[in-house]
């Protein structure tokens, strides 16, 4: 158990809909990262927050947005969903925000868009 | 274009040493190089991290040359349970974008 929690574990929704994925980092970690992993594909970095502020951005679509709240939990919002958005979405956390990337990953949320 | 590349797959036998190399053609100056292990339908698990030369922990060693354009993960005496996908992670110096390699699928055979 990494100490990172993600909810929900599974999500099935229709094209055009909007969903919110939630992540609680390990106690003491200030950084939260979001990744997308499509079937049998590698990990694509979406976005990083550090202590409530956006720190780095990857190939995140404009339809996707995220935020980190004062209690350090984070949410990833996916809107106008398309079939191609079906994937595993992982959240990770770390103590540091720059340079040191010893990240601890949650179990993921499996999103299926039908 | 900054890229992090590693072999797609490797086969090994139980008890052998496995070395997986990753190239980081544009690693950020102040960033560590980090390696992860992933089993199917699970989140990646941190294995080891280093900045330069050699780092060793209870599960692996990491070799990083002086130019830091590559890194080699060394797994001593692998077992069947080491069958997994291994990812290297570097930070793109040109955009502060975390870039995982495509992953190396290691198959350990009896």
């Amino acid at each position: 158990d990494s100490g990172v929690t993600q909810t929900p574990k599974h999500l099935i929704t229709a094209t055009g809909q909007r969903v919110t994925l939630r992540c609680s980092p390990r106690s003491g970690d200030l950084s939260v990262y979001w990744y997308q992993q499509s079937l049998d594909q590698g990990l694509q970095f979406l976005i990083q927050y550090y202590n409530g502020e956006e720190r780095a951005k990857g190939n995140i679509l404009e339809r996707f947005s995220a935020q980190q709240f004062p209690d350090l939990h984070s949410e990833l919002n996916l809107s106008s969903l398309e079939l191609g958005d079906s994937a595993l979405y992982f959240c990770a956390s770390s103590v540091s925000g720059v340079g040191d990337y010893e990240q601890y990953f949650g179990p993921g949320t499996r999103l299926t868009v039908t | 274009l900054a890229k992090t590349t590693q072999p797609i797959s490797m086969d090994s036998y139980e008890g052998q040493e496995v070395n997986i190399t990753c190239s980081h053609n544009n690693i950020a100056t102040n960033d560590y190089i980090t390696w992860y292990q992933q089993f199917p339908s699970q989140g990646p698990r941190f294995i080891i991290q280093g900045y330069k030369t050699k780092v060793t922990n209870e599960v692996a060693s990491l070799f990083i040359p002086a130019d830091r354009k590559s890194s080699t993960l060394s797994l001593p005496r692998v077992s069947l349970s080491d069958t997994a996908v291994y990812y290297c992670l570097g930070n793109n110096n040109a955009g502060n974008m975390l870039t995982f390699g495509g992953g190396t699928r290691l198959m350990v055979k009896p």
Side-chain angles (χ1 to χ4, degrees):
Chain A
D1 184 1
S2 67
V4 177
T5 60
Q6 289 186 250
T7 56
K9 290 191 78 163
H10 301 276
L11 200 48
I12 301 174
T13 189
T15 54
Q17 295 297 305
R18 172 190 170 95
V19 297
T20 298
L21 312 184
R22 183 188 166 103
C23 169
S24 292
R26 286 189 322 160
S27 177
D29 285 358
L30 297 179
S31 256
V32 169
Y33 310 77
W34 286 98
Y35 295 90
Q36 180 192 57
Q37 187 172 43
S38 301
L39 190 63
D40 286 334
Q41 298 295 308
L43 291 150
Q44 299 297 319
F45 168 64
L46 296 178
I47 198 163
Q48 177 199 0
Y49 281 83
Y50 178 77
N51 204 20
E53 304 272 330
E54 182 182 304
R55 175 59 64 91
K57 210 168 194 175
N59 294 322
I60 186 167
L61 299 172
E62 284 193 17
R63 300 183 286 109
F64 296 0
S65 65
Q67 55 184 325
Q68 186 179 28
F69 295 87
D71 67 353
L72 300 178
H73 91 271
S74 178
E75 292 181 354
L76 178 68
N77 300 297
L78 315 176
S79 61
S80 302
L81 285 167
E82 302 175 358
L83 296 178
D85 297 326
S86 295
L88 260 173
Y89 290 84
F90 288 108
C91 165
S93 72
S94 70
V95 171
S96 171
V98 177
D100 176 354
Y101 294 109
E102 183 175 340
Q103 299 177 44
Y104 291 84
F105 282 76
T109 293
R110 184 173 295 279
L111 173 66
T112 303
V113 182
T114 62
Chain B
L1 179 66
K3 292 198 73 173
T4 304
T5 57
Q6 53 185 125
I8 293 174
S9 65
M10 295 181 74
D11 288 345
S12 183
Y13 290 93
E14 281 191 292
Q16 288 189 332
E17 178 184 74
V18 170
N19 295 308
I20 306 173
T21 296
C22 179
S23 69
H24 320 266
N25 73 344
N26 197 18
I27 187 79
T29 304
N30 296 323
D31 280 9
Y32 283 75
I33 293 167
T34 316
W35 283 79
Y36 292 83
Q37 176 193 56
Q38 187 180 28
F39 297 110
S41 297
Q42 294 186 22
R45 184 177 73 97
F46 170 83
I47 301 175
I48 196 167
Q49 177 173 255
Y51 185 79
K52 232 186 252 187
T53 63
K54 178 183 173 182
V55 178
T56 297
N57 64 19
E58 62 276 8
V59 298
S61 294
L62 181 60
F63 301 89
I64 302 170
D67 66 7
R68 295 184 7 103
K69 290 190 182 302
S70 67
S71 63
T72 299
L73 174 72
S74 181
L75 305 172
R77 298 179 299 282
V78 293
S79 64
L80 296 177
S81 63
D82 293 318
T83 293
V85 180
Y86 293 82
Y87 291 96
C88 55
L89 170 64
N91 192 8
N92 174 349
N93 200 23
N96 197 30
M97 182 166 128
L98 295 170
T99 306
F100 273 90
T104 298
R105 192 175 297 273
L106 173 65
M107 174 69 71
V108 179
K109 303 174 183 176

